[in-house]
């Protein structure tokens, strides 16, 4: 049952990448109130996904934007990637002091109603022929529903020396048209928020 769910999740995520038009924003974020601006010397960047191409693209883009950023796929062997104790020991031995960990957390469909032209003379309802005329007047512009595909991604910044979460966000992407654009939008929005809130030094 679990494997079936994972397969469905991976397929759905892949299909989402093929949808049309994209728009990403950080909808929620949190920063440790005690956090002081800090420059991490070596930051691990990990995108949790079974889609290897998506994972590598996201890790590469985020690592490029952070001084000392290193994509996890370039250093953590696949044989220990999902073995938490082994991965932790490996990362600590490599001297990482920071980590950005991202993962897709939800995929939804969002329905919105787009109203047609507004009735300007409701008095037309008072007679059959008044309504008849008004109805035909607005027949070419009826209200309708639109449906968007929405992806939510969590991004967390950790101080590995303290093993402590120092910043977290959730981003919302509408109808991303391709993997490259999706990854760029998520990375751009989160980097901007981290720097704006003092979780990372200015670029």
């Amino acid at each position: 049952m679990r494997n079936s769910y994972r397969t469905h999740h991976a397929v759905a995520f892949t299909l989402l990448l093929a949808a049309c038009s994209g728009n990403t924003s950080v909808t929620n974020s949190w920063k440790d109130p005690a956090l002081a601006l800090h420059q991490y010397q070596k930051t691990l960047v990990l995108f949790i996904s079974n889609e290897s191409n998506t994972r590598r693209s996201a890790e590469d883009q985020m690592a490029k934007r952070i001084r000392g950023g290193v994509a996890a796929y370039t250093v953590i062997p696949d044989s220990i990637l999902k073995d938490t104790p082994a991965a932790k020991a490996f990362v600590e031995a490599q001297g990482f002091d920071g980590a950005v960990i991202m993962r897709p957390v939800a995929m939804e469909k969002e329905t919105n109603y787009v109203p047609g032209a507004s009735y300007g003379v409701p008095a037309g309802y008072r007679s059959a022929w008044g309504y008849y005329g008004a109805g035909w007047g607005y027949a070419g512009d009826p209200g309708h529903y639109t449906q968007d595909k929405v992806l939510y991604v969590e991004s967390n910044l950790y101080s590995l020396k303290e093993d402590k979460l120092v910043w977290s966000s959730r981003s919302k992407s509408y109808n991303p048209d391709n993997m490259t654009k999706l990854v760029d939008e998520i990375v751009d929005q989160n980097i901007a928020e981290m720097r704006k809130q003092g979780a990372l030094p200015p670029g």
Side-chain angles (χ1 to χ4, degrees), residues 9 48 202:
H9 190 279
I48 298 177

Side-chain angles (χ1 to χ4, degrees), residues 34-47:
L35 177 66
L37 185 61
H38 177 72
Q39 174 63 63
Y40 297 97
Q41 299 304 306
K42 192 174 182 182
T43 302
L44 182 74
V45 176
L46 172 66
F47 188 85

Side-chain angles (χ1 to χ4, degrees), residues 20-44:
C20 60
S21 78
N23 183 15
T24 298
S25 62
V26 173
T27 57
N28 300 97
S29 64
W30 171 90
K31 186 184 79 168
D32 180 357
L35 177 66
L37 185 61
H38 177 72
Q39 174 63 63
Y40 297 97
Q41 299 304 306
K42 192 174 182 182
T43 302
L44 182 74

Side-chain angles (χ1 to χ4, degrees), residues 3-27:
N3 288 337
S4 175
Y5 171 78
R6 288 176 178 170
T7 299
H8 175 73
H9 190 279
V11 171
F13 185 59
T14 301
L15 290 174
L16 180 62
L17 295 176
C20 60
S21 78
N23 183 15
T24 298
S25 62
V26 173
T27 57

Side-chain angles (χ1 to χ4, degrees), residues 14-191:
T14 301
L15 290 174
L16 180 62
L17 295 176
C20 60
S21 78
N23 183 15
T24 298
S25 62
V26 173
T27 57
N28 300 97
S29 64
W30 171 90
K31 186 184 79 168
D32 180 357
L35 177 66
L37 185 61
H38 177 72
Q39 174 63 63
Y40 297 97
Q41 299 304 306
K42 192 174 182 182
T43 302
L44 182 74
V45 176
L46 172 66
F47 188 85
I48 298 177
S49 174
N50 289 324
E51 297 291 325
S52 60
N53 289 336
T54 304
R55 179 190 160 212
R56 292 186 177 206
S57 179
E59 291 178 1
D60 280 340
Q61 290 303 314
M62 180 65 81
K64 289 177 184 177
R65 302 290 300 277
I66 298 175
R67 187 182 305 170
V70 179
Y73 80 88
T74 66
V75 292
I76 302 179
D78 288 342
S79 59
I80 66 169
L81 183 62
K82 297 181 181 181
D83 182 337
T84 301
K88 178 182 178 182
F90 181 88
V91 169
E92 289 178 344
Q94 296 294 312
F96 286 94
D97 60 343
V100 174
I101 302 178
M102 302 173 286
R103 74 181 181 98
V105 293
M107 289 174 288
E108 299 176 353
K109 289 184 178 181
E110 186 174 287
T111 301
N112 298 289
Y113 179 69
V114 180
S118 175
Y119 281 99
V121 283
Y125 276 59
R126 296 175 184 173
S127 74
W129 295 111
Y131 182 78
Y132 181 94
W136 279 113
Y138 295 105
D141 188 19
H144 63 278
Y145 288 92
T146 61
Q147 191 168 70
D148 295 306
K149 293 181 180 179
V150 183
L151 169 68
Y152 295 91
V153 173
E154 282 182 348
S155 300
N156 294 330
L157 173 63
Y158 292 90
S159 170
L160 292 184
K161 288 187 175 180
E162 303 170 279
D163 192 19
K164 179 181 180 182
L165 176 68
V166 296
W167 186 87
S168 180
S169 78
R170 175 168 289 203
S171 63
K172 185 177 185 180
S173 300
Y174 283 95
N175 302 322
D177 58 358
N178 59 64
M179 185 187 301
T180 301
K181 185 174 182 180
L182 169 65
V183 168
D184 286 347
E185 288 180 350
I186 292 172
V187 169
D188 286 347
Q189 292 296 320
N190 279 284
I191 286 291

